[in-house]
Amino acid sequence: MDTPLTRLVGVRHPIVQTGMGWVAGPRLVSAVANAGALGILASATMSPQELRSAVREVAARTDAPFGVNLRADAGDAAERVRIIVEEGVRVASFALAPRRELIDRLKDAGVVVIPSVGARRHAEKVAGWGADAVVVQGAEGGGHTGQVATTVLLPQVVDAVDIPVVAAGGFHDGRGLAAALAYGAAGIAMGTRFLLTSDSTVPDAVKARYLAATVTDVTVTTAVDGLPHRMLRSELVDSLERSGRTAALLRAVRHAAAFRRLAGLSWPRMVRDGLAMRHGKGLTWSQVLLAATTPMLLKASMVDGRTDTGVMASGQVAGVIEDLPSCAELVDRIMAGAAQTLDRLTGGRTVG
Ligand SMILES: Cc1cc2nc3c(=O)[nH]c(=O)nc-3n(C[C@H](O)[C@H](O)[C@H](O)COP(=O)(O)O)c2cc1C
């Protein structure tokens, strides 16, 4: 299928696997790339050295294009951009709006820039700064999420910007792809659906929790790090919601120290990152401290398999997903489903 997204990044299918901390590693990303979709490595939970070796590992497993997701406000964003450029990565994906200089540097090097946003004004801002396309995530999407549902946000953003718009939040099948195209999107981006594949390295016990979830088992809470965060409701979420502010801050200090060691960051760098977050997102110091909590709690589930002590970030769509196909099977199934849907809608006339 030919859309502005497939033309822009050079993939066969207008499907993106989004950057998910601890989940979107070399194995998942290369499986997605080999299936003809765009896989994106999550780098916020990697040190710069780990990022470089992860990029090399993906490149060794596939000749197809792929991307790297990074936090726009990270103190070492410029270093990560340099790695992306030096390693010849095709796409840079950003959580939140990147600074104009970063977009310019990537575009000068021929890297396609696709930020992820959750609101129309952010889409307008990054389009004005020269982003090549934008992923727009509706409220039903997993992880940190906004308030506006995909069905409202997507057409709003499509009408507001001239660059290709990729729809995220709640997608899992071919009907969804056809619907997104009908809204004017250039493709779909999925997190939860790709987490639930046989190629994903998430431990089986954790995948089983997602498969067992119903749509009402997925909740939004601010109890983890102060920001609205969509995840499976679990004993951990219940206890975080019960625990007070002081307990949350003490926990955050422990997590910040652990994350610093894991990510190979120095304390001065952590403080610089914190300052950037305060200014970039208008957060208080306690919110900045809490921000270190998410990566550590996500690691507990996604890497260590702890369903009791880990956060299981999830889209609402987990409630309708019931199997663990390979990425190749999934992408084929979605493309066949979309073709069938479009055929049905056009009474068998070919859709161009
Ligand atoms: C387990 C998990 C981890 C995530 N981590 C990140 C992340 O590190 N950076 C980011 O930009 N988005 C992250 N997200 C959001 C996804 O990239 C994506 O936008 C979202 O999952 C789309 O909605 P869906 O789950 O309904 O497909 C995460 C989502 C999940 C489910």
Side-chain angles (χ1 to χ4, degrees):
M1 191 183 279
D2 186 41
T3 76
L5 175 68
T6 58
R7 288 194 289 278
L8 180 64
V9 296
V11 288
R12 275 185 286 133
H13 307 302
I15 300 175
V16 178
Q17 163 259 306
T18 58
M20 293 173 278
W22 307 110
V23 177
R27 190 168 114 186
L28 183 64
V29 171
S30 54
V32 171
N34 285 326
L38 181 70
I40 297 183
L41 271 173
S43 90
T45 46
M46 294 175 186
S47 68
Q49 295 79 353
E50 285 167 340
L51 169 61
R52 197 185 285 277
S53 63
V55 166
R56 290 183 178 173
E57 197 178 332
V58 178
R61 290 170 180 233
T62 182
D63 293 329
F66 63 95
V68 167
N69 174 265
L70 59 156
R71 270 194 20 224
D73 56 359
D76 59 2
E79 186 181 354
R80 288 168 192 264
V81 162
R82 201 180 63 238
I83 293 171
I84 288 172
V85 170
E86 284 171 1
E87 298 295 326
V89 173
R90 182 84 188 108
V91 175
S93 133
F94 285 92
L96 306 172
R99 292 194 307 277
R100 191 178 209 139
E101 313 85 77
L102 287 183
I103 298 185
D104 288 346
R105 200 167 320 152
L106 286 160
K107 289 191 65 168
D108 285 349
V111 181
V112 174
V113 177
I114 311 185
S116 288
V117 299
R120 183 189 61 184
R121 65 194 159 84
H122 295 149
E124 287 171 339
K125 191 162 83 175
V126 294
W129 287 351
D132 296 291
V134 67
V135 170
V136 48
Q137 177 176 329
E140 51 273 68
H144 289 120
T145 202
Q147 287 184 330
V148 185
T150 304
T151 45
V152 176
L153 184 63
L154 176 59
Q156 191 191 26
V157 172
V158 166
D159 287 344
V161 298
D162 291 331
I163 53 176
V165 176
V166 182
F171 294 97
H172 69 109
D173 67 0
R175 283 176 306 180
L177 171 56
L181 296 175
Y183 274 119
I188 53 170
M190 304 184 295
T192 307
R193 180 61 274 197
F194 278 110
L195 183 156
L196 293 170
T197 57
S198 56
D199 295 303
S200 131
T201 54
V202 170
D204 289 343
V206 176
K207 288 181 182 169
R209 283 293 288 263
Y210 281 79
L211 292 177
T214 66
V215 284
T216 51
D217 291 330
V218 185
T219 189
V220 175
T221 182
T222 55
V224 173
D225 59 11
L227 300 170
H229 204 161
R230 192 178 280 289
M231 62 187 67
L232 297 188
R233 180 161 280 289
S234 63
E235 311 78 60
L236 172 77
V237 174
D238 290 340
S239 86
L240 289 178
E241 285 182 346
R242 277 196 309 269
S243 75
R245 197 177 158 74
T246 314
L249 285 176
L250 286 173
R251 202 172 42 238
V253 174
R254 268 202 331 273
H255 288 140
F259 186 62
R260 187 191 73 80
R261 279 196 304 276
L262 263 183
L265 298 171
S266 64
W267 280 113
R269 163 132 287 163
M270 291 275 281
V271 173
R272 273 205 302 278
D273 274 13
L275 277 169
M277 284 177 84
R278 278 195 56 157
H279 293 306
K281 295 191 205 150
L283 301 183
T284 63
W285 269 114
S286 67
Q287 285 172 314
V288 167
L289 202 52
L290 284 169
T293 297
T294 295
M296 293 319 294
L297 292 183
L298 203 53
K299 176 177 177 287
S301 52
M302 300 302 149
V303 179
D304 307 332
R306 298 293 302 261
T307 53
D308 53 345
T309 55
V311 154
M312 291 172 279
S314 174
Q316 242 168 10
V317 74
V320 296
I321 294 175
E322 287 172 348
D323 59 357
L324 299 170
S326 68
C327 291
E329 284 163 353
L330 176 64
V331 170
D332 283 353
R333 192 200 289 177
I334 292 175
M335 293 314 298
Q340 255 174 27
T341 305
L342 295 171
D343 250 16
R344 179 163 52 77
L345 294 174
T346 58
R349 290 188 304 279
T350 314
V351 180

